[in-house]
């Protein structure tokens, strides 16, 4: 059941914005009060129902979207950044995100849908995917790239929020430029998708063999970073608010260490393709029943874990041809 918009006290409100046909159900968009207009943290999926929920939810608290000062996007994914451009059009406000994700939004817009599709097919073939997994994704899985931000943030920057202190905490992993935001005058932390109360965010490697990138190691380091913080309340972008940031961060770290152990057990002296390794892992649904989009996400997650095993000296890539194969070092 989707929660109702809620006044959280201290000049802070939450508005659940639906995500069409997605098990996450909704994104929690937060509005932080300031003397010069509220600032939103994330904006939700670009969809008519989502827009109605966002504007109506803000209206519950007497906030007109036209008065929004700006939107801070925790990361570029469509359930967070999708409506930011529409908010900007309605209000004349700014959009801000970390510079690493800003670069990705510019790249997506420059290559277009055709370029992204060609990029994806090349990656899938190198992973060893079957031809049946190379079909065109359904139309409802194709989304417009997010709006390019007006402002770019770095670790430690204060957001333009007059009269308050909202500090940027760079937490790469779920995306290269994912940020958490610490409301220092309220001792609350907005964690986006970095730390969620019951599920773990997707950590993927795109493309599957991109060099010199290790998103899972980045993510684990980012979890260590926030777990050292002392904050009263955690406000994630999905599910519900909670306390005990450090304990939850450690649980997520343990989950990924177990996953690394599982993948290590699948590796051997005999090289295996990424697709074969992914198919051998334990997933919520059996591999044979997974939709193509879910398989691609699963392969990206497996690739991220294999990359960390490479970094740790446990695994290695065998050869340079197609498809890519991995083995124990």
């Amino acid at each position: 059941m989707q929660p109702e918009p809620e006044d959280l006290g201290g000049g802070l409100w939450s508005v659940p914005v639906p995500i069409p046909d997605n098990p996450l159900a909704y994104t929690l968009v937060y509005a932080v009060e300031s003397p010069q207009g509220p600032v939103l943290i994330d904006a939700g999926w670009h969809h008519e129902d989502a827009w109605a929920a966002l504007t109506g939810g803000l209206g519950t608290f007497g906030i007109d979207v036209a008065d929004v000062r700006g939107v801070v996007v925790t990361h570029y994914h469509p359930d967070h950044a999708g409506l930011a451009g529409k908010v900007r059009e309605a209000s004349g406000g700014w959009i801000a995100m970390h510079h690493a994700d800003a670069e990705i939004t510019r790249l997506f817009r420059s290559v277009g849908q055709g370029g992204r599709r060609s990029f994806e097919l090349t990656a899938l073939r190198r992973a060893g995917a079957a031809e049946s997994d190379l079909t065109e994704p359904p139309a409802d899985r194709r989304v417009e790239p997010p709006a390019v931000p007006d402002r770019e943030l770095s670790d430690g920057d204060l957001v333009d929020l007059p009269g308050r202190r909202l500090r940027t905490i760079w937490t790469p992993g779920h995306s290269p430029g994912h940020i958490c935001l610490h409301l220092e005058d309220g001792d609350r932390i907005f964690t986006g998708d970095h730390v969620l109360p019951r599920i773990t965010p997707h950590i993927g490697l795109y493309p599957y063999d991109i060099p010199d990138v290790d998103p899972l190691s980045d993510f684990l380091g980012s979890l260590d970073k926030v777990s050292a913080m002392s904050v009263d309340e955690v406000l994630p972008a999905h599910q519900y608010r909670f306390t005990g940031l450090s304990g939850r961060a450690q649980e997520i770290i343990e989950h990924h260490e177990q996953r690394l152990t599982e993948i290590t057990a699948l590796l051997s002296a005999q090289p295996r393709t990424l697709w074969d390794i992914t198919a051998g892992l334990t997933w919520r649904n059996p591999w044979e029943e997974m939709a193509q989009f879910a398989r691609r996400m699963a392969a990206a997650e497996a690739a991220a874990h294999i990359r960390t095993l490479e970094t740790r000296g446990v695994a290695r890539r065998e050869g340079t041809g197609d498809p890519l194969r991995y083995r124990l070092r």
Side-chain angles (χ1 to χ4, degrees), residues 19 22-28 75 79-80 174 178 191-203 219 223 234 236-240 242 245 247-256 284 297 301:
I19 311 172
N22 190 296
L24 284 174
Y26 57 87
T27 300
L28 289 170
H75 57 296
D79 55 326
H80 297 257
H174 184 57
H178 189 289
T191 56
D193 281 0
H194 184 55
V195 183
L196 302 172
R198 294 188 62 190
I199 59 176
T200 61
H202 172 70
I203 308 299
F219 179 62
L223 286 171
V234 183
H238 302 288
Q239 300 186 312
Y240 51 83
F242 65 99
L245 175 61
R248 180 58 187 146
Q250 291 303 314
E251 288 176 357
I252 297 172
I253 290 171
E254 290 170 9
H255 163 80
H256 285 286
R284 182 180 293 108
M297 294 278 285
E301 182 176 319

Side-chain angles (χ1 to χ4, degrees), residues 63-148:
I63 300 172
D64 190 319
V65 72
D67 297 327
V68 169
R69 179 176 179 81
V71 182
V72 187
V73 178
T74 60
H75 57 296
Y76 74 89
H77 293 167
D79 55 326
H80 297 257
L83 282 174
K86 196 163 184 176
V87 172
R88 180 169 61 187
E89 291 173 6
S91 66
W94 43 259
I95 300 172
M97 67 174 67
H98 189 273
H99 57 79
D101 275 15
E103 183 178 345
I104 292 173
T105 66
R106 288 190 289 268
L107 175 63
F108 280 173
R109 287 192 170 273
S110 69
V111 301
Q113 182 69 40
R116 294 197 298 274
R117 178 60 181 157
S118 174
F119 176 90
E120 181 182 57
L121 285 174
T122 298
L124 287 167
R125 289 191 174 100
R126 284 181 64 75
E131 285 300 315
S132 59
D133 286 309
L134 303 181
T135 58
E136 186 76 14
D140 60 358
R141 298 304 315 184
R142 298 178 220 144
V143 296
E144 286 297 313
V148 175

Side-chain angles (χ1 to χ4, degrees), residues 184-242:
E184 295 178 346
D185 57 274
D187 203 22
R188 288 159 150 167
I189 186 170
F190 304 92
T191 56
D193 281 0
H194 184 55
V195 183
L196 302 172
R198 294 188 62 190
I199 59 176
T200 61
H202 172 70
I203 308 299
L205 187 64
Y206 302 98
Y208 305 134
D209 62 331
I210 185 172
D212 304 320
V213 176
D214 186 352
L216 179 58
S217 290
D218 290 343
F219 179 62
L220 297 175
S222 298
L223 286 171
D224 280 334
K225 182 178 183 178
V226 298
S227 71
M229 297 178 65
S230 243
V231 291
D232 284 341
E233 188 175 33
V234 183
L235 295 93
H238 302 288
Q239 300 186 312
Y240 51 83
R241 306 187 310 278
F242 65 99

Side-chain angles (χ1 to χ4, degrees), residues 17 99 137 156 192 199 203 242 253-254 273 277 296 311 324-325:
V17 177
H99 57 79
I199 59 176
I203 308 299
F242 65 99
I253 290 171
E254 290 170 9
T273 68
I277 294 168
R296 295 167 188 175
T311 300
L324 296 169
R325 299 180 187 275

